Amino acid sequence: MPRRGILKLVYLLALVVCVSAVGDFDWTRNEKTSFYYGTFPTGFLWGVGSSAYQTEGAWNKDGKGMSIWDVFAHKKGKISSNETGDSSCDGYYKFKDDISLMKEMKLNHYRFSISWPRILPSGLKSEHINEKGIKYYNDLIDLLLDNTITPVVTLYHWDLPQVLQEKYGGWQNESMVSYFNDFGDLCFERFGNRVKHWITFNNPWSISVEGYETGEHAPGLKLRGTGAYKAAHHIIKAHAKVWHTYDRKWRSKQKGLIGISLTADWGEPVDMSNQRDIEAAERYIHFYLGWFATPLFHGDYPQVMKEYVGRKSGQQGLGASRLPVFSPQEKSYIRGTVDFLGLGHYTTRYITEKNYPSGFGDSYFADRDLAELVDPQWPDPGSEWLYSVPWGFRRLLNFVKSQYGNPMIYVTENGVSEKMLCTDLCDDWRMQYFREYINEMLKAIKDGVNVKGYTAWSLLDSFEWDEGFSERFGLYFVDFTNKDKPRYPKASVQFYKRIISSNGFPNQREVESWKRKAVETCSSSNQLLAADPLIGHMEMVTEIVVPTVCTLCILLSAVFFMFLLRRRL
Ligand code: NOJ
């Protein structure tokens, strides 16, 4: 056969493989059915999560170097109320207390992250290893194991050493790939005899888009249309390199697993009978999850990303696509570098097609040609972006199954927030959220999705990035106004504990009693919290002072308005 003929055949085969892989997910199947009573497979793992910058505090203690988040949070105007994670929950000092809380909940695992600059202050393994930082993580891991809690360790939860940002431009620079590999290798060397579950990156979408495209997160760069794609490209390579290092050097001795944690919303077509909406929703997910998952499972970016970014780049008069390209060697190096997929999920959007004409400005968002909508009836108790849409979770899990060959999944994040000023520990909305989202995960397992564990986000209220402390995701309330940072259980602690001890939802009668019982325990915690003088003061401000001042303002404006009217008449 002539060469061109062979090439054509290979191309056709590749096309068939791609089309059939994408074709598996049934977009029109739209079950939003009622509650399912049943239990999870034996051995299903239940845990909670946290991350270093969000909880540890001790930002400049015991030889720790500066991270991009330390620097970013100290700049005025970057974080809500100019708050910082300098002391946060003081997890660095209080991890023993926190492990007691976890033991009480009978958790199987605890997901936390290692702060890169805490153990490598200048970012480089060749320069200086901070043994005090190593000791902190050793103590944490040992105590978890003493309490039969499995450590699940994230290597990178966004806190890049500041030096690497300043010297090289952080994830814009390919050199991060080998610096990150050295850091990972050091972690395997020092902790790998006890840690068997590794996550390379947490939510690379956020690192790339919010760190390098919109600039809402550290390092705060606004390199629209290019920055996010470049950062993601290096992150994918860095992930693959660390996976290979583990595979080659440590796996046979340490017998662990190494994966990545990708976070994605579900995108539901606005109009199921409209093929263009279906395609727009598919694009939304491929630009979100597929951007990272497709290279790691299939060796290259999703076809639709290559097409859209390529075409838009052409229309903008660029000689090459803004989406970087993997060489054939890189593709085979990257493909298959996940022992498990960590999945973070919180919410859903309705998606419809929307054309962004060229000249609109380069951006990741415009490249997708779609609009995101929400149903105003969806509950949204806390963060502005977080609507509770449980059925989206089941659809996302089924999508992963159909697209990536039913991989082993650990849900690495799922949860809901409330506003900072809310001091009510009877968090009805969170119990409802967990009940429904976990139930959708159970349905997905019945659908055949290979989910092995679930991690509630998060153990404690903590530093919520650019939102500072204004949004609380914790199962435990943290009183940040008190220098001892006391923790108080919200009702959802009891509720989650019941799910864990029953390994699911055994029957209607029992499950319905859980909320009632949880609420009984939370009223006593509420009293404890109200006894805290600072919180008592806060409550007085929110419950008495703010409403009184508002009412007075309204009255005064009414009087003023009437006065004006009378003068005119
Ligand atoms: C994802 C991030 O990984 C985590 O750090 C954050 O707290 C949650 N989303 C909630 O926004």
Side-chain angles (χ1 to χ4, degrees), residues 50-51 54 111 157-158 202-203 206 210 217 261 263 344-346 383 385-386 412-417 457-458 462-465 467 471 473:
S50 74
S51 84
Q54 289 181 279
R111 176 182 174 215
H157 204 124
W158 307 355
N202 175 70
N203 194 350
S206 199
E210 293 175 297
H217 282 187
S261 175
T263 300
H345 174 70
Y346 291 89
S383 313
W385 53 271
L386 207 173
T412 39
E413 280 185 32
N414 177 242
V416 69
S417 57
W457 191 266
S458 48
S462 63
F463 182 84
E464 183 54 25
W465 308 112
E467 300 298 340
E471 292 171 10
F473 274 86

Side-chain angles (χ1 to χ4, degrees), residues 2-21:
R3 236 182 114 208
R4 280 184 63 189
I6 296 177
L7 277 179
K8 256 192 186 164
L9 191 69
V10 170
Y11 177 74
L12 265 176
L13 273 175
L15 205 68
V16 169
V17 170
C18 286
V19 169
S20 59

